[in-house]
Amino acid sequence: MAVIGYGICLAISLVIIISMAIKNYDNVDIYYWTLIILNPIIILGYMLRAMVTTPSAYYTTMCFIYIDSTVFISVVLLSLLRIIGVKPRPLTKIITYGLAFLHMVMVILCSGTDLYLTDIVIKKNIFGYYADYVDGPLKIIHYVYMVVLFLVMIGILVSGYMRKGTYSRRTLIVYTSALVIGLTVYVIETLTGFRFTFL
């Protein structure tokens, strides 16, 4: 069931990419295009994770999925800064992307160890395959990283509402709504241990 849902989302995201790619653009928004291209990769990771039957395969798909909580959110942050008229300095971009990729590399290097996830057991229910696991000692880094990213994003959004600029308030409302919904779903899924994501 989850595979079908993820498959539908994947098909929609690919149709969006194709429809966007055939248009002519005077200016290309690199952040927007990065988000559009990363989206199907992340969805594919979720879809494959609902199909895997071994702990090692589960961990591998999780490495792809972590693109959403690292690179994807970093691009969203930089996009938000651009929207409210703040041009991020090169050092800001280096730190933002550097931390994102460092986080991903840490997760990848922990594959086959008990440092990030331990006691992975693959199970199946009506949604598909999922894994029960215990967080390893380095998983706390992920939670701290996510809290910092969300606090920064909230700070940018608050700044955007307070600043007087010519940018679209509607765009800020869309970003704020996405943040609130995403954060709520993430917290519920994390606290309840629900292994399928609606994000």
Side-chain angles (χ1 to χ4, degrees):
M1 187 173 172
V3 173
I4 294 171
Y6 293 137
I8 291 169
C9 291
L10 179 61
I12 292 170
S13 68
L14 292 174
V15 168
I16 290 172
I17 286 180
I18 293 168
S19 65
M20 297 295 294
I22 60 177
K23 293 180 181 178
N24 293 320
Y25 297 93
D26 293 328
N27 296 309
V28 175
D29 182 343
I30 190 65
Y31 300 124
Y32 186 71
W33 270 103
T34 303
L35 293 174
I36 286 180
I37 291 169
L38 287 178
N39 204 42
I41 296 169
I42 295 165
I43 294 172
L44 180 62
Y46 281 112
M47 189 170 88
L48 292 174
R49 186 174 74 174
M51 299 166 64
V52 299
T53 58
T54 64
S56 60
Y58 175 86
Y59 197 92
T60 301
T61 58
M62 195 188 73
C63 292
F64 280 98
I65 291 168
Y66 265 45
I67 293 172
D68 73 344
S69 56
T70 55
V71 180
F72 191 88
I73 293 180
S74 297
V75 176
V76 169
L77 290 177
L78 294 173
S79 178
L80 272 173
L81 287 174
R82 180 192 54 79
I83 287 169
I84 67 171
V86 175
K87 187 175 181 180
R89 296 178 178 176
L91 183 60
T92 303
K93 293 181 182 180
I94 290 170
I95 292 171
T96 304
Y97 288 131
L99 288 174
F101 284 110
L102 190 63
H103 186 99
M104 283 183 59
V105 167
M106 179 195 72
V107 173
I108 292 168
L109 292 178
C110 287
S111 177
T113 72
D114 291 337
L115 293 173
Y116 202 76
L117 296 182
T118 182
D119 300 329
I120 301 174
V121 178
I122 304 298
K123 298 182 178 180
K124 187 177 183 180
N125 63 17
I126 59 169
F127 293 107
Y129 291 98
Y130 69 99
D132 272 337
Y133 54 83
V134 177
D135 290 346
L138 293 183
K139 186 68 184 282
I140 189 68
I141 294 173
H142 175 71
Y143 295 127
V144 170
Y145 180 79
M146 293 301 295
V147 167
V148 169
L149 284 180
F150 280 116
L151 289 176
V152 169
M153 193 176 294
I154 289 168
I156 293 171
L157 287 170
V158 169
S159 174
Y161 284 110
M162 295 176 64
R163 289 168 62 95
K164 294 179 180 178
T166 57
Y167 48 86
S168 167
R169 298 285 189 228
R170 193 177 87 177
T171 303
L172 281 181
I173 291 170
V174 169
Y175 271 94
T176 304
S177 301
L179 174 65
V180 169
I181 292 169
L183 181 58
T184 303
V185 170
Y186 180 78
V187 168
I188 291 171
E189 289 174 358
T190 301
L191 294 179
T192 60
F194 191 69
R195 299 307 187 196
F196 294 97
T197 184
F198 293 99
L199 280 175

